Every structure is written in C-alpha cells, then in structure tokens.
C-alpha cells in the first residue's frame, strides 16, 4: 500500500536565518578591530608620552574613569586621559571671574579646572585615545551613540534609554559632528537616527566628518 509522501517542513529553522543584529555586531567588531589594532600600535609611543607629561605636570591619576552605560544597560568604566586638576572645583570657586565667564559662554573664557596639558589634549582630540581600550574590550565601538551615565536615565526616559543602549556607545558619532554644544535632546535624536540608518558607509562618513571637525576647531 502506497503511503502519501510526508509533507516537507517548510518552516525555516532559526539556525538558518541570519540574525540582523548579530550580523551587525560581527561586522562592526571586525571594522573596529581593523582600525583600532593598527592605530594602537602606531600611537602607543604617543600615548606613553602623554601619560608621562600628565604625571609630571600635576599630581593625580593619568587615566580618568567614568562610569557609563553600555549595550544592554551594563555599566563599565570609560577611559580618557585626565585633563583636569584633582582639585578642579576648588580652583573654579577661587576664580569667580572665570566661573562667571564660563556660565555666560564668553568666547575667551578659560576653565581653571583644566590643566595646560588638558587644554592641548582636548583641542586635538587626544584625550579620548584610551577609549580604544574600551573598543578592544567590546564595551564601545568607533562609531555609535554618545555614552550616557545612569543619572541621565530620568532625563532621557525608559524607551529612549533602551534604544540608545541597544548597541555599543561610540568614540564618535553623529552627535560629535552635527550636535556639539547643543541640547541633550538634540543629541539623542541624532543617536536614534544613527541606530535606524546604520551602515558601514555611514560609519566611514562619520569618522571622516569627525576628523574634519577636529581640524576646524584647531583653526578657530
């Protein structure tokens, strides 16, 4: 007696479906490592020199650690070179004229909390070089949303916070080249736009735009 042929299972196994989020993470990781690993090798002598100058100029740690939220809301220490005096707030209080000038956003105002080396590092964007360690540890990416702290959650709201922390925060991003010195809301909107429109081409455009923005600040 002939049996009817068994119906083929037309359902595709989830193992055979490429998860877009997983593919994106792998692609971004490969892109990050391809740039950061050679950059760390080339910049290692410069980073050692910067660390030495910071240590010789003022007492305190060379690296500043800031607690921020990463992907999935997990906290980690984000590294930058220390650019301020360890008694920065006292220096600000003792220099009230500069404090008032800063509050009024006067062009020639100088923040007395920032060291001379710190001014140089910030001007040329060198203070962020230690973040490459965060990138290698897959706590950050070259391009992504701006890192936020836990205290920012109430200002952002749960829905936006979940969207922002759905991917790794970036060393740079749209917020770096299009919304500098603007409101938190504007920067968040750009971050959300980046998450929706992500592509490797966009990452490359942002990296080039960041380089141009830093050069323009040096000229001003």
């Amino acid at each position: 007696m002939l049996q009817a042929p068994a119906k083929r299972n037309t359902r595709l196994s989830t193992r055979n479906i490429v998860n877009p989020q997983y593919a994106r993470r792998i692609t971004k990781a490969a892109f990050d490592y391809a740039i950061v690993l050679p950059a760390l090798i080339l910049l290692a002598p410069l980073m050692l020199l910067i660390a030495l100058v910071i240590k010789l100029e003022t007492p305190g740690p060379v690296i500043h650690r800031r607690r921020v939220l990463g992907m999935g809301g997990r906290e980690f220490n984000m590294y930058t070179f220390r650019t301020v005096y360890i008694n920065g707030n006292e220096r600000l209080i003792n220099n009230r004229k500069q404090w008032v000038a800063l509050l009024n956003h006067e062009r020639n105002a100088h923040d007395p909390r920032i060291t001379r080396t710190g001014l140089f590092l910030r001007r040329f964007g060198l203070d962020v070089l230690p973040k490459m360690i965060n990138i290698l540890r897959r706590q950050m990416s070259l391009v992504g949303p701006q890192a936020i702290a836990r205290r920012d959650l109430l200002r952002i709201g749960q829905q936006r916070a979940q969207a922002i922390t759905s991917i790794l925060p970036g060393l740079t991003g749209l917020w770096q080249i299009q919304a500098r010195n603007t409101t938190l809301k504007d920067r968040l909107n750009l971050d959300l736009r980046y998450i929706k429109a992500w592509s490797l081409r966009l990452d490359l455009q942002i990296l080039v735009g960041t380089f141009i923005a830093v050069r323009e600040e040096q000229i001003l």
Side-chain angles (χ1 to χ4, degrees):
M1 182 176 179
L2 296 176
Q3 295 181 350
K7 292 183 178 180
R8 295 183 60 185
N9 187 0
T10 57
R11 294 181 181 177
L12 292 176
S13 171
T14 55
R15 295 179 181 179
N16 297 328
I17 300 176
V18 176
N19 187 324
Q21 290 296 326
Y22 180 76
R24 172 176 176 165
R25 287 166 59 184
I26 295 298
T27 303
K28 281 185 71 68
F31 179 76
D32 289 342
Y33 283 132
I35 295 178
V36 171
L37 283 174
L40 267 177
I41 295 173
L42 292 174
L43 296 174
L46 175 62
M47 294 176 68
L48 289 174
L49 178 61
I50 292 173
L52 179 62
V53 172
I54 292 174
K55 199 66 179 177
L56 292 176
E57 182 184 14
T58 59
V62 170
I63 299 296
H64 171 70
R65 295 171 173 83
R66 181 187 170 208
R67 295 292 287 178
V68 297
L69 299 178
M71 189 168 66
R74 292 183 292 271
E75 281 191 303
F76 68 94
N77 288 322
M78 183 173 68
Y79 305 129
T80 56
F81 281 121
R82 179 174 59 85
T83 58
V84 297
Y85 294 94
I86 56 175
N87 62 338
N89 289 334
E90 293 179 14
R91 294 176 62 90
L92 188 62
I93 293 173
N94 293 333
N95 197 328
R96 295 179 181 273
K97 289 184 179 180
Q98 285 295 332
W99 192 356
V100 173
L102 286 172
L103 293 175
N104 293 332
H105 302 287
E106 295 181 13
R107 182 176 178 82
N108 296 324
H110 167 63
D111 191 337
R113 295 171 294 185
I114 304 177
T115 65
R116 286 179 297 176
T117 302
L119 282 173
F120 176 85
L121 295 178
R122 290 190 181 191
R123 181 180 179 185
F124 290 91
L126 299 175
D127 56 313
V128 302
L129 290 180
K131 290 183 182 180
M132 289 192 291
I133 303 299
N134 293 120
I135 294 174
L136 290 182
R137 298 175 69 176
R138 299 316 297 154
Q139 297 168 326
M140 297 184 68
S141 182
L142 275 171
V143 183
Q146 188 173 24
I148 59 174
R150 189 168 294 279
R151 65 174 179 270
D152 297 323
L153 292 179
L154 292 177
R155 299 167 58 193
I156 295 174
Q158 183 177 1
Q159 187 174 2
R160 284 190 171 186
Q162 288 178 346
I164 294 299
T165 57
S166 64
I167 65 173
L168 295 174
L171 186 150
T172 187
L174 285 176
W175 48 270
Q176 178 76 5
I177 59 177
Q178 295 187 17
R180 305 187 79 176
N181 303 320
T182 57
T183 65
L184 175 63
K185 182 179 180 181
D186 291 334
R187 295 194 297 271
L188 286 173
N189 288 336
L190 285 173
D191 284 338
L192 295 173
R193 195 173 88 189
Y194 167 80
I195 293 171
K196 292 179 180 179
W198 174 82
S199 67
L200 281 181
R201 180 178 180 181
L202 179 59
D203 279 4
L204 285 170
Q205 290 175 341
I206 291 173
L207 288 175
V208 173
T210 301
F211 176 78
I212 294 173
V214 171
R215 289 292 301 272
E216 289 177 347
E217 283 197 354
Q218 295 170 14
I219 297 173
L220 294 176

